[in-house]
Amino acid sequence: MTVLFKNLRTIAYGFVLLLAGSVLGIASYFASHFLPHIRPAFTAYSLVAPSITVIVLTILLFGSRPWIDAIFLLIMSISWLALAAWASDINGPADCYALGSSKTPTSHGKISSKGFCYESKILEAFSWSIFGLRLPIFLDVCDHLANRDWYDDIDELPWFGEYPGYPGVSMYPTYQGVPNPAPTAVAGPLPTTESEGVIQHQPGHSIIIWPGVNGNRPRIEQRPGIVTQSTLSL
């Protein structure tokens, strides 16, 4: 398998963790000023969504299955879409700079309206960003669910259209100290297929299948005679 999907998933989830942490910080600031009397529902929800995201994403980065990721991504995508839309509805088309030195009342006094407006806009933008970052990972996971890869290790899934192979390593990588078998050499009239069409087996030849690298398709060739692992060479 390739590691492209694993790397993209790790990068995307890591970036989501940073954004969710920032949203949680802003929401905590709002909670300290507005709870429990002003905008309690929105403030509480803006605390819950990033908190659950940070906790669950941290767990999933240590290991998961496609069906687990799919359920989490679906629920969290809806949650962040709701938060982004809610924040957009509260902020409206307000021009933060035009608010000047005006003040916004809170449960414990007043804060700068301009600062509150900018922080609300940041929360809204980060919420939309988190929703967008989840989409490509969710689509690829759903693609594997359609192929019944329900219980595979999430780190071993390929990206769209990839073939098996290990980027940046030798043709025969090792896994936990155990070397992978050499390319398959088959003697006898065994027809094989590729995406371009059918490979016709030539009499007296062995079919050799070289694993693909960097997500590319395998290379298939034929050599005269019977080829074994001890006689096989690149």
Side-chain angles (χ1 to χ4, degrees), residues 5 7 10 14 33 41 45 64 90 121 158 162 171 173 183 205 226 234:
F5 175 76
N7 291 340
T10 302
H33 285 283
Y45 185 78
S64 180
I90 291 177
K121 294 286 187 180
E162 283 186 330
M171 185 68 73
H205 287 65
I226 298 177
L234 296 175

Side-chain angles (χ1 to χ4, degrees), residues 34-51:
F34 296 113
L35 289 180
H37 305 297
I38 302 176
R39 296 195 184 97
F42 173 76
T43 305
Y45 185 78
S46 64
L47 286 170
V48 171
S51 298

